[in-house]
Amino acid sequence: MLLKLKHKLVIGMMKSLAGLAPGQSHLAFTGPGSSRELCQYLINQGYKKVLIASDKILRDLGVTDQGSQTLLDAGIEVAYFDDIEPNPTFEQVEAGKQVLRAAGSEVILAIGGGSVIDCAKIMSAAATSDDDPRSWVGFGKVKHEVIPLYAISTTAGTGSEATAGAVITDVQNHAKVVISGASLLPKAAAVDPRLQQGLPPAITAATGMDALTHGIEAYISTWERGTRKEHATAAIRVIFDALPKIYADSSDHDARAAMAMAAYHAGMAINQVNVGNVHAIAHQFGAYYGVPHGLANAVVLPYVLEFSKGPAEAALAELADLVGVAQSGQSSAAKAQAFIDAVKALNAQLDIGTKIEPLKRDDHDAIAKAAAEEAVSYPVPRFMMPADVKAMLNEMTV
Ligand SMILES: [Fe+2]
């Protein structure tokens, strides 16, 4: 009960604080080749020294160079930090900060998926502060000016290029923590489907389901704020259509371009109202077992929707209409169920299962407690107590 009360207080406080905060906006370059436009924009801004944050796989594949070619051609002094791994840690943030300071870079260009962009966000904040980044864990705690950050997303999933939040793994405490603050929103982003063409189908599927989760969690949120519904519907409608197409045929460029924009819209939606119970549980699977974020969300999503379908019925019924799975004359409850069934069918179509393979029963108590505590700060239609999470974990365990 205490947890439920805390949830009410935290959400109330967040809503009043958000009302006082200035609105956030940033520049977006979109469409095939837009990464070149973003680089040209950096050159026009007069930057001479750029740190490129990326990962080894993308550098080896040539994607990092492809995204930054315009800078290289213009003779901009470029330094690289490409040690960012999936589920980035505070140690990686510190290492990146050292590279940034040694190179004297004026700006960071992140080229990668959510892990790269999230790590770069906290590097940008750490570079201008002597505080321990661990002290920023929570909602809106980064308040200082950061090194300007620009982002090019190489997956159609996390939407991190459109948000003012980052998820970092705290290795010592076995936890994934969220850090946010208005200055963490990238100053400009490029949504360039050409840089996403080489994604293997399994990663396309998992990252795409992360984007769908963002859209749905923002849509069923209890926080009426900004354009979250418009952005969420723009994302959800497209994902149901485009994601199975690019999973089946990675050369479907139209679907790839649509999916890139959908993930960006979903990011814009969660940037206004945050995520929900699905992420609260999925983050634990990342912290405990290193399960990729998108895959964890994809598996958890139907369980949380079943759990939430009472209070979220009207919103889920609207989504059934949106994606065309509702029958005329159906009750609102039947429509809500049709939407949940459509999410399950989409997972099956993408060869995503219903279990978290490494999940151990011995960890259920700790994971349930951590997930319920994380959800305290999310404006969810149905708050979950640790016992509720445990019931879901039981079903997800092999
Ligand atoms: Fe996510």
Side-chain angles (χ1 to χ4, degrees):
M1 271 304 119
L2 266 179
L3 211 55
K4 219 170 198 167
L5 184 65
K6 196 174 160 194
H7 171 65
K8 276 206 165 114
L9 288 172
V10 169
I11 298 298
M13 198 174 70
M14 268 170 40
K15 288 182 180 176
S16 9
L17 281 177
L20 300 172
Q24 289 180 15
S25 60
H26 78 165
L27 194 59
F29 297 94
T30 63
S34 55
S35 53
R36 286 200 299 266
E37 292 171 47
L38 174 59
C39 289
Q40 189 57 51
Y41 177 76
L42 289 182
I43 296 165
N44 296 347
Q45 294 291 102
Y47 294 122
K48 302 277 185 247
K49 292 178 161 194
V50 178
L51 179 83
I52 295 180
S54 193
D55 66 39
K56 291 240 166 11
I57 295 174
L58 290 168
R59 271 200 90 183
D60 289 348
L61 289 171
V63 176
T64 311
D65 281 349
Q66 195 188 344
S68 55
Q69 195 59 49
T70 303
L71 294 181
L72 305 174
D73 292 346
I76 299 293
E77 192 177 325
V78 166
Y80 292 94
F81 178 62
D82 62 5
D83 284 336
I84 303 173
E85 289 172 7
N87 301 318
T89 61
F90 283 109
E91 288 72 18
Q92 283 174 41
V93 169
E94 177 60 25
K97 179 178 103 173
Q98 297 305 335
V99 173
L100 177 78
R101 284 190 171 171
S105 308
E106 307 153 305
V107 58
I108 303 176
L109 174 61
I111 303 176
S115 296
V116 165
I117 299 174
D118 281 6
C119 188
K121 282 177 182 172
I122 308 307
M123 280 162 52
S124 76
T128 55
S129 167
D130 291 326
D131 292 349
D132 181 347
R134 289 175 179 82
S135 67
W136 302 327
V137 172
F139 178 75
K141 297 226 176 112
V142 176
K143 297 191 174 81
H144 62 282
E145 266 309 304
V146 306
I147 288 260
L149 171 69
Y150 296 84
I152 299 174
S153 181
T154 59
T155 63
T158 70
S160 180
E161 71 279 7
T163 76
V167 180
I168 301 294
T169 298
D170 181 345
V171 178
Q172 283 137 27
N173 295 313
H174 234 10
K176 274 192 150 191
V177 294
V178 181
I179 295 176
S180 71
S183 54
L184 295 180
L185 180 69
K187 298 241 177 294
V191 184
D192 187 345
R194 274 192 200 154
L195 268 63
Q196 301 173 359
Q197 274 167 11
L199 275 184
I203 297 180
T204 294
T207 52
M209 287 305 289
D210 184 26
L212 181 67
T213 306
H214 296 158
I216 295 174
E217 296 213 289
Y219 195 88
I220 66 173
S221 164
T222 56
W223 195 353
E224 285 300 346
R225 188 178 184 215
T227 54
R228 53 114 189 178
K229 274 199 163 177
E230 289 81 353
H231 281 292
T233 48
I236 295 166
R237 189 180 48 75
V238 169
I239 293 169
F240 268 88
D241 177 55
L243 186 52
K245 285 183 183 163
I246 47 173
Y247 182 67
D249 175 10
S250 62
S251 68
D252 187 335
H253 297 313
D254 289 344
R256 176 84 61 192
M259 192 60 213
M261 278 311 294
Y264 178 75
H265 281 300
M268 295 289 277
I270 55 163
N271 194 43
Q272 298 174 66
V273 294
N274 217 329
V275 288
N277 287 334
V278 182
H279 277 73
I281 298 173
H283 283 156
Q284 314 313 320
F285 297 148
Y288 272 73
Y289 312 117
V291 179
H293 178 69
L295 179 63
N297 274 327
V299 175
V300 175
L301 179 59
Y303 292 102
V304 167
L305 293 181
E306 290 283 359
F307 171 76
S308 314
K309 69 185 174 188
E313 183 187 296
L316 292 170
E318 287 166 11
L319 292 180
D321 283 325
L322 178 79
V323 302
V325 294
Q327 312 282 333
S328 64
Q330 253 183 335
S331 68
S332 169
K335 283 185 179 182
Q337 192 60 54
F339 180 72
I340 299 171
D341 291 344
V343 171
K344 292 176 184 171
L346 181 58
N347 263 345
Q349 213 177 341
L350 301 172
D351 300 312
I352 291 171
T354 57
K355 311 276 185 192
I356 296 290
E357 305 280 339
L359 177 57
K360 294 189 191 72
R361 288 191 189 276
D362 284 352
D363 295 333
H364 280 197
D365 282 335
I367 288 176
K369 187 167 173 279
E373 276 171 6
E374 181 177 327
V376 160
S377 61
Y378 297 149
V380 292
R382 185 178 174 194
F383 182 70
M384 41 178 207
M385 298 297 285
D388 298 320
V389 184
K390 264 186 87 169
M392 288 186 255
L393 294 179
N394 261 326
E395 293 184 60
M396 286 175 222
T397 307
V398 179

